[in-house]
Amino acid sequence: MILVDDVPVVPGSDPPSPSQVLEILAALTDHPTLLSASHSFRNTPEKRFSISEESGLGSVTQPKCVYVFQREYAIVDPALVDVVGTDEATTCVGLVIRNRSNGKISIAHLDSPAIVEMGLAQMLSQIFYHDLQDEMDVHVIGGFEDASLKRINHSDGSEIHGKVGGYSLPLCIKLIETLLRRREKFHIQTFFVLGHNTRPDADGRAYPIITGFLVSVCSRCRDIQWVCIPACFDRTSRCPDEVVRRIRITACSDDPTWRGKLLETYHTQDDKFIIAPCYWSWGQFYYASTLQCLSDSEMLDECSTSPYAEGPDFVDNIRRQFDYIIKHPDWTETFPQRQPRVFERNGQGGWRRCH
């Protein structure tokens, strides 16, 4: 169930038809409250998050951060974590859900309609205990108009958006459809997607305005305070185990156990990262070896769903993944005896590998 200003958004039928989902998507995009929230979010200065800058020269500790990559999710307890976030989202959509009753926060970086339904169930698994009275605050951020849109006129004079290709719109449609079908109460606070998150360049090509965000929580307050703002992270804060986790995004596509699921990474109760084993084949080794011979522009076209919109370090990140696979073609070197890679907090709030 979707609510805005505590008012349920009710489709005309249950389950909603595709046209009804499109109508609701358009209504959310144009809702005055959400328009105001999008305007405020867009005009909030982007936070540049860096572990080295956040810790400071005179500080022995740093904010306890949980970072999620594409197709990952994490459920965090504000008593254990200060900051949670994601970035590098172009056609992807970031989703934040907070249970008003227990304060737990779930965050995901969604990259495909195929993982939305099961992924949402994963996100709710530890913040929602089948009490339908619980209220959820929801922020939906990301995706842009990566394909042309047209207006479809209904007989009653109303208009809805129609789809002509693209990645972001199908993802947003599936997310809205799934939220509508579920019985939990989802209060949409931010809906900064598609047209709201699009800017054209001089040649008319579309770019996302914001590609990342963070949620900052204050558990020291009696009522847990939290804020969601635009953000970007550098390499020091996209941790732990950055390269292996990046490889896992593509490697998991060959593993049927992950089909339709978000990647489990962070263990909420223990405040640990547990990177489950994944395997890469000799086919992926050959693919990595072949693509390393490409120019940067060729690799960008080959590896991105939105080549014009990627960040400046996109190709470097891809090359580092390929370098790792080429140097470690046998995945069991990375996951000996098929055991996960486990990281725990060090004394300064960062991460250290324990096994």
Side-chain angles (χ1 to χ4, degrees):
M1 177 189 299
I2 291 176
L3 301 94
V4 181
D5 290 338
D6 295 324
V7 178
V9 177
V10 182
S13 63
D14 186 17
S17 67
S19 63
Q20 289 169 343
V21 175
L22 278 169
E23 289 175 338
I24 289 172
L25 175 60
L28 291 173
T29 302
D30 295 336
H31 193 285
T33 297
L34 298 181
L35 278 172
S36 177
S38 290
H39 180 77
S40 297
F41 187 80
R42 177 174 179 168
N43 290 311
T44 301
E46 181 182 70
K47 170 71 173 177
R48 297 184 176 274
F49 193 88
S50 169
I51 293 298
S52 57
E53 293 178 2
E54 293 298 321
S55 55
L57 295 176
S59 175
V60 296
T61 60
Q62 60 198 36
K64 293 181 179 179
C65 178
V66 170
Y67 179 87
V68 297
F69 283 99
Q70 179 180 338
R71 196 167 283 209
E72 290 184 344
Y73 82 103
I75 299 170
V76 300
D77 184 342
L80 302 175
V81 175
D82 300 312
V83 173
V84 60
T86 189
D87 67 349
E88 301 184 317
T90 53
T91 57
C92 298
V93 172
L95 176 63
V96 181
I97 303 174
R98 175 184 176 268
N99 188 320
R100 293 178 178 178
S101 299
N102 59 33
K104 285 188 175 181
I105 296 169
S106 190
I107 180 174
H109 186 133
L110 306 172
D111 66 352
S112 167
I115 51 92
V116 169
E117 191 166 343
M118 195 175 299
L120 185 59
Q122 290 174 278
M123 294 180 70
L124 295 171
S125 61
Q126 295 180 48
I127 69 169
F128 181 78
Y129 299 109
H130 306 289
D131 181 356
L132 294 179
Q133 298 307 309
D134 281 358
E135 311 277 335
M136 309 285 176
D137 287 322
V138 175
H139 295 259
V140 186
I141 300 163
F144 70 109
E145 289 186 347
D146 58 318
S148 60
L149 299 177
K150 61 183 179 180
R151 305 293 286 191
I152 301 175
N153 292 307
H154 274 187
S155 57
D156 62 0
S158 64
E159 296 179 325
I160 62 173
H161 285 294
K163 169 179 174 287
V164 185
Y167 293 90
S168 296
L169 182 58
L171 180 53
C172 289
I173 289 172
K174 183 61 178 180
L175 178 56
I176 294 304
E177 176 191 357
T178 305
L179 291 173
L180 285 169
R181 287 173 180 265
R182 294 192 65 102
R183 298 177 63 193
E184 298 89 350
K185 298 174 182 176
F186 299 106
H187 295 263
I188 306 294
Q189 304 295 333
T190 306
F191 198 65
F192 190 78
V193 299
L194 301 174
H196 293 313
N197 193 34
T198 303
R199 63 176 178 84
D201 68 4
D203 297 321
R205 288 190 294 249
Y207 290 80
I209 299 168
I210 292 170
T211 59
F213 60 88
L214 65 78
V215 177
S216 179
V217 299
C218 176
S219 60
R220 294 176 292 276
C221 310
R222 181 178 178 183
D223 294 322
I224 294 175
Q225 302 295 313
W226 73 308
V227 60
C228 184
I229 60 173
C232 64
F233 297 76
D234 68 7
R235 195 172 294 174
T236 68
S237 51
R238 295 177 186 141
C239 58
D241 221 12
E242 178 207 358
V243 174
V244 171
R245 288 166 67 191
R246 287 186 185 276
I247 292 171
R248 194 174 65 147
I249 297 168
T250 52
C252 73
S253 61
D254 293 331
D255 187 344
T257 61
W258 290 109
R259 190 166 296 140
K261 294 181 180 179
L262 291 168
L263 296 172
E264 298 174 0
T265 304
Y266 175 74
H267 196 264
T268 309
Q269 289 79 7
D270 298 329
D271 189 29
K272 291 181 179 180
F273 270 88
I274 302 177
I275 316 301
C278 67
Y279 61 86
W280 43 93
S281 65
W282 284 102
Q284 288 166 309
F285 170 81
Y286 176 79
Y287 181 76
S289 301
T290 302
L291 263 63
Q292 279 293 52
C293 299
L294 298 179
S295 67
D296 285 0
S297 61
E298 290 171 330
M299 183 171 289
L300 188 61
D301 286 337
E302 177 70 23
C303 298
S304 173
T305 58
S306 51
Y308 292 113
E310 299 294 354
D313 57 351
F314 178 84
V315 171
D316 179 61
N317 290 332
I318 295 292
R319 291 197 185 279
R320 288 190 298 121
Q321 295 172 59
F322 290 163
D323 279 341
Y324 188 96
I325 292 175
I326 292 167
K327 292 175 182 177
H328 306 277
D330 184 354
W331 65 274
T332 60
E333 295 177 12
T334 302
F335 297 98
Q337 300 180 324
R338 302 174 182 264
Q339 294 301 304
R341 295 161 67 89
V342 181
F343 296 81
E344 62 185 9
R345 296 280 183 190
N346 60 29
Q348 290 73 47
W351 301 100
R352 63 183 172 211
R353 188 176 175 188
C354 47
H355 58 73

